[in-house]
Amino acid sequence: MSRQVFVSDTHFGHRAILSPRMQNPRPFASIDEHDEALIANWNSVVRPEDTVWHLGDFCYRCSEDYARSVFGRLRGRRCFLVRGNHDRIGSRLPWDGVFDVAQVVVPGPGGSSKGVWLSHYAHRVWPRMHRGDLHLFGHSHGTLPGTTASTDVGVDCFAFRPVTIDEIYVRLAENAGAATLAP
């Protein structure tokens, strides 16, 4: 059965993402190790029939040939990009669609349907929020806390891999618990 999975901020080919000067440097010895780990993690989660929503910053500061070679190794039947601030090269890859923002419907709890607003950037409000739609974002590399209705799906937040909607529901519930503990 096909699923929708979500990911952001893979930064394939971006050597500086490992630098201690970054707010959250990634724990890899080299960009090759980083990229190979993210490819392996992606392919361990994404099934060949899945739809992948990448919420921006697929790659950065690498050649288009390198980006295409990485893209070609990733599983997923349909792959869509919601453009991030580092997607000059990434937006030229053979995605099934490239968007600035997107709104999708996913399976909700109890078999219902749930709307989801997708953007590279976090929003304080989003379309259909008042109707219970969720918001998934990237860009913040795990530095922006989620809420009961929105969360960062960047690889920095989910063990350097894409996530399923069920994992997102768990994270949103954790966010709700954290909110009740806040002073």
Side-chain angles (χ1 to χ4, degrees), residues 148-178:
T148 59
S150 69
T151 199
D152 185 342
V153 295
V155 296
D156 301 280
C157 302
F158 286 95
F160 302 101
R161 63 180 180 75
V163 292
T164 65
I165 193 64
D166 290 337
E167 292 173 294
I168 291 166
Y169 287 135
V170 169
R171 179 61 54 88
L172 294 172
E174 290 168 356
N175 293 348

Side-chain angles (χ1 to χ4, degrees), residues 137-151:
F137 59 90
H139 186 68
S140 61
H141 295 265
T143 63
L144 185 63
T147 70
T148 59
S150 69
T151 199

Side-chain angles (χ1 to χ4, degrees), residues 81-178:
L81 176 68
V82 175
R83 259 188 291 265
N85 55 306
H86 295 307
D87 280 317
R88 186 180 56 81
I89 291 172
S91 64
R92 295 195 301 250
L93 300 177
W95 302 95
D96 291 294
V98 177
F99 307 94
D100 291 321
V101 295
Q103 194 159 11
V104 299
V105 176
V106 298
S112 62
S113 294
K114 185 65 115 171
V116 182
W117 177 253
L118 306 174
S119 174
H120 181 63
Y121 303 100
H123 296 255
R124 289 186 57 160
V125 295
W126 54 90
R128 297 187 47 82
M129 174 183 176
H130 66 288
R131 300 242 191 251
D133 282 14
L134 305 176
H135 169 44
L136 305 180
F137 59 90
H139 186 68
S140 61
H141 295 265
T143 63
L144 185 63
T147 70
T148 59
S150 69
T151 199
D152 185 342
V153 295
V155 296
D156 301 280
C157 302
F158 286 95
F160 302 101
R161 63 180 180 75
V163 292
T164 65
I165 193 64
D166 290 337
E167 292 173 294
I168 291 166
Y169 287 135
V170 169
R171 179 61 54 88
L172 294 172
E174 290 168 356
N175 293 348

Side-chain angles (χ1 to χ4, degrees), residues 32-54:
D32 292 334
E33 179 186 332
H34 169 273
D35 291 358
E36 290 303 318
L38 268 63
I39 292 166
N41 292 350
W42 177 302
N43 289 335
S44 73
V45 171
V46 178
R47 300 173 186 160
E49 68 275 9
D50 287 345
T51 297
V52 178
W53 285 93
H54 195 296

